[in-house]
């Protein structure tokens, strides 16, 4: 027998051993419930692991390295006191510590779960913006000194979104709340991306250089927020983040295709806390959000300038240097004379030593720090459905037949009481937005919601253009054809301004008969234009070009001779496809008033036509603009010709006989004046001759024609 044991001992190290996870699992399952004492205590897991390892020579990795090593030491030393389980003396947190908090929260949740008039368990608004906000809202209703759980404790009291996930075991399902979501986002490239990034860097370095007497404002308009008619809650359209709602309701709203009569426009301004170094962040400062009714308080350069002046004056002493940076939308496009004039009036009214206005490249609004504010502002407006309050029966009957903003405005001209009633009706939506917005903060600085400027203040501000700039300017007539011969205005631009595609600068001159004395005592230099280094890969440092005579010669779009290639790339279709038979409708340019054709390869469906109508109703179109953003449902379906600006005549496609929509074909191709005629002599020589009015013809503009007739 002894010899047999010796043989087995010698062979045992060379024999293969087989262990599976199932074998180990079955061992634990069989013996983990066996009581080891009269108290009923079972075998601890670490003891079972040690037994299994010793009996089977299992060499898998330790599950709890420190504890398993202590067990091995206890076995080798034959001293069980080396391993002591102290968990039985830890009673844990008393279960009723936060009872008051969770009972109060439970009552609030029950109040939130209200039945919709058409569906039950439908919530139109996310009451809480975040777990932190939930904690603060519940804490307000508790007695002082009540026990308040941490944010993580509140979170794990929620219902798990996926009960089968491994993390679901952390949730207690104590409160019927969970995160639910509604999503979308975009970016477009442009050949001037790098150039505009250099422009913005120069502007920031300029602000840092004069930070003691400078204010940098980043401004932008957020997408309009829709609201429904009384009793019909329409989604705000903001999704992308989960919201806290009761677990037994669905977060929903009416279909987004529902026609809405109005909207609310949020104007965002970030008063940047200018850092000491260009490497530090510019995403700091005070955020102001102004909510305006889009129908009777439409955005315009004059309204923006009026509200900026009021905010600067309300903040205390106005600094001598003000810098504005925007995405270059129609109300901020510094190449438009209406925008230039509004900035000049602001410059003179605030008695600034210098004003700098910059903008991003087309489609690159994400560069603007104010655009990053939108993600925070979305917290207040996300997953919410709004409805305006009901007016009296007479006003509701008048508004019933109006299906667009322009129709509501025209009805308000006939019935002045309609405007007041409408603004009071919409104020309910604005009050909710203001209350929710003030609960949002940027780096612990709460958002502010100033009151929008009255229409009388805006008109008074615009009227100053005749007093401060040029007395011959006509209010509302700010196109190139109207201002090109205004001598005082043109002289001011020449003496006090520096005009660029992406920057517009105004500063005082040294003539005391023209400008007031400098408030800062500093002669500010122009913000320089980016100039390429010798290697043509990078732009010169700011310090090297500051104070030198620079120009736009290194702007890519100025050097690109093949504009058609760039236009086709941006518009998403070749110019050969933009023909008369593909014209589906027209849109008038906000700046020049000329009709521009909207093309589509196929006829638009009823849903696509409704979507296009709503978009054109809410947004102002200008020449050279992309008609729909990249993330829109109509992107790639409808197009406009980008290879033209406000100086470009009306397209040939507009006058084509095969245009499938009815158009007024007798308008002047230069100024869009009606009742214009085609030249009879040219018509005898060419197949296609565009109409021209007498004023344009007498001013020497050529007659546009093509396709000569063969004899």
């Amino acid at each position: 027998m002894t010899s047999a044991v010796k043989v087995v001992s010698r062979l045992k190290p060379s024999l293969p051993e087989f262990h599976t996870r199932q074998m180990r699992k079955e061992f634990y399952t069989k013996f983990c419930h066996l009581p080891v004492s009269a108290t009923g205590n079972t075998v601890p897991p670490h003891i079972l692991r040690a037994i299994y390892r010793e009996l089977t020579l299992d060499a898998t990795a330790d599950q709890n390295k420190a504890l398993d090593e202590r067990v091995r030491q206890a076995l080798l030393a034959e001293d069980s006191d080396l391993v002591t389980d102290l968990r039985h003396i830890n009673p844990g947190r008393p279960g009723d510590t936060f009872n008051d908090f969770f009972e109060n929260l439970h009552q609030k949740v029950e109040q939130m779960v209200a039945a919709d008039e058409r569906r039950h368990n439908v919530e139109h608004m996310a009451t809480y913006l975040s777990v932190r906000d939930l904690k603060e809202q519940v804490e307000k209703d508790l007695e002082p000194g009540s026990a308040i759980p941490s944010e993580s404790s509140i979170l794990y009291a929620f219902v798990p979104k996926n009960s089968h996930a491994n993390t679901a075991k952390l949730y207690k399902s104590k409160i019927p709340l969970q995160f639910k979501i509604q999503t979308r986002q975009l970016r477009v490239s442009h050949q001037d991306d790098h150039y505009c990034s250099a422009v913005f860097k120069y502007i920031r370095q300029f602000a840092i250089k004069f930070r003691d007497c400078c204010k940098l404002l980043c401004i932008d308009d957020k997408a309009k927020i829709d609201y429904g008619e009384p009793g019909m809650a329409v989604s705000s359209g903001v999704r992308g983040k989960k919201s806290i709602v009761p677990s037994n309701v669905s977060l929903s709203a009416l279909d987004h295709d529902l026609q809405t009569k109005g909207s609310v426009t949020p104007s965002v301004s970030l008063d940047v806390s200018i850092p000491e170094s260009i490497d530090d962040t510019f995403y700091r400062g005070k955020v102001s959000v102004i909510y305006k009714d889009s129908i009777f308080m439409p955005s315009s350069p004059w309204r923006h300038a009026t509200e900026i002046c009021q905010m600067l004056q309300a903040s205390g002493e106005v600094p001598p240097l003000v810098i504005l940076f925007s995405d270059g939308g129609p109300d901020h496009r510094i190449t438009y004379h209406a925008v230039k004039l509004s900035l000049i009036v602001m410059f003179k009214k605030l008695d600034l030593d210098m004003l700098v206005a910059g903008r991003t490249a087309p489609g690159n609004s994400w560069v603007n720090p104010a655009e990053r504010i939108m993600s925070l502002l979305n917290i207040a407006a996300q997953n919410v459905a709004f409805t305006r309050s009901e007016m009296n029966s007479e006003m509701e009957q008048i508004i019933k037949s109006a299906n667009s903003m322009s129709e509501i405005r025209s009805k308000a001209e006939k019935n002045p009481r309609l405007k007041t009633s409408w603004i009071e009706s919409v104020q309910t939506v604005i009050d909710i937005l203001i209350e929710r917005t003030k609960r949002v903060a940027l780096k612990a600085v709460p958002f502010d919601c100033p009151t929008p400027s009255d229409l009388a203040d805006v008109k008074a501000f615009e009227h100053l253009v005749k007093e401060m700039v040029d007395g011959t300017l006509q209010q509302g007539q700010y196109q190139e054809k109207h201002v090109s011969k205004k001598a005082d205005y043109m002289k001011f631009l020449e003496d006090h301004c520096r005009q660029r595609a992406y920057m517009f600068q105004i500063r005082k001159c040294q003539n005391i008969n023209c400008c007031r004395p400098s408030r800062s005592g500093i002669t500010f230099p122009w913000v320089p234009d980016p100039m390429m280094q010798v290697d043509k890969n990078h732009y010169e440092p700011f310090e090297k070009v500051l104070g030198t005579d620079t120009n736009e010669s290194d702007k890519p779009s100025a050097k690109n001779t093949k504009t058609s290639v760039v236009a086709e790339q941006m518009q998403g279709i070749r110019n050969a496809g933009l023909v008369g038979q593909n014209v589906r409708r027209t849109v008038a340019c906000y700046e020049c008033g000329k009709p521009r054709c909207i093309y589509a390869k196929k006829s638009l469906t009823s849903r696509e036509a409704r979507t296009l109508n709503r978009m054109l109703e809410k947004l102002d179109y200008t020449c050279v603009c992309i008609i729909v953003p990249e993330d829109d449902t109509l992107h790639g379906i409808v197009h406009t010709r980008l290879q033209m600006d406000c100086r470009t005549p009306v397209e040939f496609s507009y006058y084509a006989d095969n245009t499938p929509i009815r158009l007024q074909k007798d308008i002047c191709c230069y100024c869009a004046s009606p009742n214009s005629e085609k030249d009879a002599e040219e018509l005898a020589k060419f197949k296609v001759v565009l109409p021209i009015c007498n004023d344009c013809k007498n001013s020497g503009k050529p007659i546009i024609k093509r396709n000569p007739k063969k004899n």
Side-chain angles (χ1 to χ4, degrees), residues 163-191:
S163 59
H164 301 288
N166 190 41
T167 55
K169 62 186 179 183
L170 302 175
Y171 291 83
K172 306 296 188 295
S173 300
K174 193 172 184 177
I175 298 295
L177 290 174
Q178 65 181 187
F179 284 96
K180 295 186 180 180
I181 196 170
Q182 289 177 335
T183 74
R184 63 190 172 227
Q185 276 175 350
L186 108 98
R187 252 181 216 191
V188 179
S189 61
H190 190 271
Q191 59 180 330

Side-chain angles (χ1 to χ4, degrees), residues 6-16:
K6 291 180 179 180
V7 172
V8 172
S9 299
R10 287 198 305 268
L11 294 175
K12 191 172 182 179
S14 61
L15 293 175

Side-chain angles (χ1 to χ4, degrees), residues 27 50 58 66 124 205 253 269 345 349 435 464 490 647 687:
F27 175 81
D58 181 19
H124 292 302
Q205 290 179 297
S269 172
V345 173
K349 183 176 181 180
E435 189 274 331
L464 292 175
M490 291 294 127
R647 295 167 295 182
K687 295 180 180 178

Side-chain angles (χ1 to χ4, degrees), residues 213 309 312 318-324 343-356 506-509 515-520 524:
C213 58
C309 281
L312 289 173
V318 179
L321 171 61
V322 173
I323 302 176
L324 306 176
L343 294 175
I344 293 172
V345 173
M346 183 196 306
F347 171 81
K348 292 201 168 190
K349 183 176 181 180
L350 298 178
D351 189 23
L352 301 177
D353 289 352
M354 186 173 185
L355 187 147
V356 180
I506 315 170
R507 71 178 182 185
K508 289 180 177 178
C509 66
C515 296
R516 296 179 183 177
S518 172
R519 292 168 49 201
S520 62
F524 293 104

Side-chain angles (χ1 to χ4, degrees), residues 176-400:
L177 290 174
Q178 65 181 187
F179 284 96
K180 295 186 180 180
I181 196 170
Q182 289 177 335
T183 74
R184 63 190 172 227
Q185 276 175 350
L186 108 98
R187 252 181 216 191
V188 179
S189 61
H190 190 271
Q191 59 180 330
D192 289 336
D193 290 352
H194 188 196
Y195 181 85
C196 289
S197 296
V199 168
F200 187 37
K201 185 176 182 180
Y202 284 6
I203 288 176
R204 286 178 290 163
Q205 290 179 297
F206 191 82
I208 292 172
K209 184 175 180 65
F210 302 103
R211 65 190 303 269
D212 294 334
C213 58
C214 173
K215 187 175 284 291
L216 173 59
L217 297 177
C218 296
I219 53 180
D220 191 15
D221 273 4
K222 194 185 185 302
K224 290 181 170 63
I225 299 175
D226 290 331
Y227 52 81
E229 292 300 283
M232 296 186 293
V234 173
S235 171
S236 64
V238 179
R239 298 179 290 178
K241 192 175 185 297
K242 298 176 182 178
S243 296
I244 304 170
V245 297
S247 57
N248 58 340
V249 305
S250 60
L251 189 62
S252 62
L254 292 180
D255 194 306
H256 70 280
D257 282 336
L258 185 76
Q259 180 69 38
T260 57
K261 295 183 184 295
S263 59
V264 174
T265 304
S267 294
V268 180
S269 172
L270 171 61
D271 185 354
V272 179
S273 295
I274 303 174
E276 297 181 357
S277 171
I278 189 64
D279 297 325
D280 295 333
T281 181
F282 279 71
Y283 189 56
R284 294 283 192 281
K286 180 70 175 180
V287 178
S288 299
V289 184
I290 302 178
Y291 290 103
K292 298 167 289 190
D293 173 45
S294 301
I295 297 179
F296 296 109
M297 295 181 182
S299 295
S300 69
W302 302 103
R303 176 171 290 279
H304 287 303
T306 304
E307 292 171 346
I308 290 173
C309 281
Q310 292 177 350
M311 285 192 294
L312 289 173
Q313 292 170 334
S315 64
E317 184 179 355
V318 179
L321 171 61
V322 173
I323 302 176
L324 306 176
F325 192 75
S326 68
D327 60 358
D331 301 330
H332 302 293
R333 188 162 299 173
I334 51 181
T335 55
Y336 291 170
H337 288 289
V339 177
K340 292 179 184 178
L341 288 166
S342 66
L343 294 175
I344 293 172
V345 173
M346 183 196 306
F347 171 81
K348 292 201 168 190
K349 183 176 181 180
L350 298 178
D351 189 23
L352 301 177
D353 289 352
M354 186 173 185
L355 187 147
V356 180
R359 70 182 182 100
T360 66
N364 282 256
S365 61
W366 53 272
V367 176
N368 186 3
E371 187 71 23
R372 295 177 61 187
I373 299 297
M374 303 312 174
S375 58
L376 290 177
L377 192 58
N378 283 347
I379 297 177
Q382 70 183 357
N383 300 337
V384 178
F386 293 109
T387 174
R388 67 175 179 85
S389 60
E390 189 172 4
M391 300 182 289
N392 60 51
S393 57
E394 179 186 358
M395 296 297 105
E396 289 291 345
Q397 192 63 32
I398 294 175
I399 213 74
K400 188 175 182 180

Side-chain angles (χ1 to χ4, degrees), residues 477-646:
Q477 297 183 356
Y478 307 120
Q479 287 80 28
E480 180 70 25
K481 62 182 179 181
H482 299 134
V483 303
S484 59
K485 296 182 180 180
K486 306 299 181 182
D488 291 345
Y489 173 48
M490 291 294 127
K491 181 171 177 53
F492 185 90
L493 290 178
E494 182 180 353
D495 295 344
H496 300 82
C497 303
R498 190 180 225 189
Q499 305 176 71
R500 298 289 189 262
Y502 298 106
M503 258 194 306
F504 179 69
Q505 305 178 64
I506 315 170
R507 71 178 182 185
K508 289 180 177 178
C509 66
Q510 304 300 320
N511 186 356
I512 59 175
N513 296 323
C514 177
C515 296
R516 296 179 183 177
S518 172
R519 292 168 49 201
S520 62
I522 302 173
T523 302
F524 293 104
W526 296 116
V527 178
D529 302 297
M531 303 300 293
M532 274 289 182
Q533 294 180 347
V534 179
D535 60 6
K536 299 298 182 182
N537 293 325
H538 301 282
Y539 290 102
E540 294 284 2
F542 171 75
E543 295 78 9
K544 187 173 181 179
V545 292
L546 182 65
T548 63
D549 187 16
T550 58
N551 52 53
E552 292 184 295
S553 59
D554 287 330
K555 184 179 67 174
S557 59
K559 298 188 292 185
N560 194 334
T561 55
K562 297 182 179 179
T563 55
S564 60
V565 176
V566 179
E568 289 179 348
Q569 182 181 4
M570 294 184 64
Q571 68 197 15
I573 186 175
R574 297 188 62 183
N575 289 331
L578 306 182
V579 294
Q581 64 185 18
N582 290 337
V583 176
R584 304 304 169 188
R585 63 167 299 170
T586 61
V587 57
C589 172
Y590 171 81
E591 182 67 16
C592 66
K594 296 175 187 174
R596 300 303 185 190
C597 297
I598 298 177
Y599 302 87
K601 189 174 182 180
K602 298 179 180 178
S603 298
L604 299 179
T605 64
S606 57
R607 170 169 289 194
E608 290 171 343
R610 284 200 308 271
T611 303
L612 180 60
N613 289 337
R614 290 187 61 206
M615 182 184 64
L616 295 179
E617 177 67 30
K618 290 166 43 177
L619 304 177
D620 293 323
Y621 169 80
T622 58
C623 299
V624 197
C625 282
I626 299 173
I627 190 68
V628 291
E630 192 173 276
D631 66 339
D632 195 277
T633 55
L634 293 179
H635 181 72
I637 299 177
V638 298
H639 313 274
T640 53
R641 191 185 299 272
L642 299 183
Q643 197 179 344
M644 58 184 183
D645 55 26
C646 291

